[in-house]
């Protein structure tokens, strides 16, 4: 398996624009996580899914953020409208089972100018 | 908020020396995991220790867990320059709290050749 695949690797966008980050989890994994990493706040869990169903979105900072998982092999994290403070590295991770290790993608570095 | 807190925040050692990093957490856990992150890359899982385990080994890694003190340590023996990275502890809360894998702030390890 190629591991967790995220796209794009880098995204630069202007304030107010919509941003969509994409993730393909490892085949067979039933949990998918979206994290955000910044120098100030470290690694924050935004939302996680189990079997394509959102379980906990309490980490989603604002209504500007939304995440979907239409099927077992694809998830998106959307920010609309984007703001400079959304600049961060966004990671997607997946796991098999609830109590196991997570496998991370390479991340998407988002810069909002 | 971050569940785990790593100590020290930064550690610089010479190749061949041992590196010890500590992690403290606040709530009861199902397991504790250690991850490594090279600059600009995703996180890589190193080792998982369950709440009923006290010590675990994997190659040059040794992890201990003291649930009474809510703390864990990661020991890397005979360090190499390639071990230079950030190391994070992450906790999985008990079953009643869902599957939130919560990360600490990380320890930046530098191994000088």
């Amino acid at each position: 398996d190629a591991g967790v695949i995220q796209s794009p690797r880098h995204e630069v966008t202007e304030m107010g624009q919509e941003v969509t980050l994409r993730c393909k989890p490892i085949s067979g994994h039933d949990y998918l996580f979206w994290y955000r990493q910044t120098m100030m706040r470290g690694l924050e869990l935004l939302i996680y899914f189990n079997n394509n169903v959102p379980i906990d979105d309490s980490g989603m900072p604002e209504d500007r953020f939304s995440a979907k998982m239409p099927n077992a092999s694809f998830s998106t994290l959307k920010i609309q409208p984007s703001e400079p403070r959304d600049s961060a590295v966004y990671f997607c991770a997946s796991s098999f089972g609830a109590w196991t290790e997570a496998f991370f993608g390479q991340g998407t570095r988002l810069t909002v100018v | 908020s971050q569940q785990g807190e790593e100590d020290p925040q930064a550690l610089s050692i010479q190749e061949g020396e041992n590196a010890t990093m500590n992690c403290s957490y606040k709530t009861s856990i199902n397991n504790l995991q250690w991850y490594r992150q090279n600059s600009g890359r995703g996180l890589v899982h190193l080792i998982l220790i369950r709440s009923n385990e006290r010590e675990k080994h994997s190659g040059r890694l040794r992890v201990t867990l003291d649930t009474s003190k809510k703390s864990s340590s990661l020991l890397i023996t005979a360090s190499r320059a390639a071990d230079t990275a950030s190391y994070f502890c992450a906790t999985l809360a008990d079953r009643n709290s869902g599957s939130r894998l919560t990360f600490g702030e990380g320890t930046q390890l530098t191994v000088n050749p």
Side-chain angles (χ1 to χ4, degrees):
Chain A
D1 201 316
V4 176
I5 299 173
Q6 291 186 247
S7 64
R9 288 295 310 276
H10 303 273
E11 177 82 30
V12 180
T13 190
E14 291 185 348
M15 184 173 63
Q17 295 298 306
E18 177 181 295
V19 175
T20 300
L21 311 181
R22 297 173 176 79
C23 175
K24 176 179 167 52
I26 292 174
S27 177
H29 282 190
D30 54 350
Y31 281 82
L32 184 139
F33 308 86
W34 282 101
Y35 285 87
R36 177 171 70 175
Q37 186 178 35
T38 61
M39 289 294 292
M40 290 296 294
R41 300 176 65 89
L43 269 160
E44 303 173 276
L45 176 64
L46 301 177
I47 185 172
Y48 76 89
F49 296 82
N50 175 219
N51 291 324
N52 314 338
V53 177
I55 302 300
D56 185 350
D57 64 355
S58 59
M60 296 285 263
E62 298 170 35
D63 291 345
R64 298 185 295 108
F65 286 68
S66 63
K68 293 182 180 179
M69 192 165 185
N71 56 63
S73 59
F74 185 65
S75 177
T76 59
L77 178 67
K78 186 175 294 187
I79 308 172
Q80 166 62 22
S82 57
E83 296 182 5
R85 61 193 167 123
D86 301 331
S87 297
V89 181
Y90 291 81
F91 287 103
C92 175
S94 69
S95 70
F96 179 65
W99 315 108
T100 61
E101 69 265 32
F103 293 80
F104 280 75
Q106 292 300 304
T108 295
R109 182 173 294 277
L110 174 65
T111 304
V112 184
V113 298
Chain B
S1 63
Q2 296 294 323
Q3 162 78 311
E5 296 182 3
E6 280 93 341
D7 165 45
Q9 289 189 328
L11 180 61
S12 181
I13 60 174
Q14 295 301 122
E15 210 164 24
E17 294 180 341
N18 295 341
T20 299
M21 289 159 271
N22 303 299
C23 168
S24 60
Y25 58 92
K26 295 176 181 151
T27 62
S28 59
I29 61 171
N30 177 281
N31 65 64
L32 184 145
Q33 304 176 27
W34 284 90
Y35 288 78
R36 165 193 167 129
Q37 184 180 33
N38 287 79
S39 180
R41 308 295 296 271
L43 283 81
V44 175
H45 179 262
L46 295 176
I47 196 165
L48 180 154
I49 186 164
R50 302 189 193 288
S51 60
N52 61 353
E53 297 176 310
R54 292 296 167 258
E55 188 171 312
K56 206 160 184 181
H57 297 255
S58 176
R60 294 185 295 114
L61 305 181
R62 173 179 170 254
V63 169
T64 61
L65 178 65
D66 187 333
T67 52
S68 67
K69 296 181 179 177
K70 290 186 167 59
S71 67
S72 173
S73 68
L74 170 67
L75 168 68
I76 303 174
T77 60
S79 63
R80 305 165 182 167
D83 294 329
T84 295
S86 291
Y87 291 82
F88 295 87
C89 72
T91 52
L92 256 176
D94 62 29
R95 194 164 292 272
N96 292 330
S97 301
S99 301
R100 299 179 60 87
L101 184 61
T102 307
F103 285 83
E105 302 291 333
T107 293
Q108 172 61 50
L109 173 67
T110 302
V111 182
N112 302 297

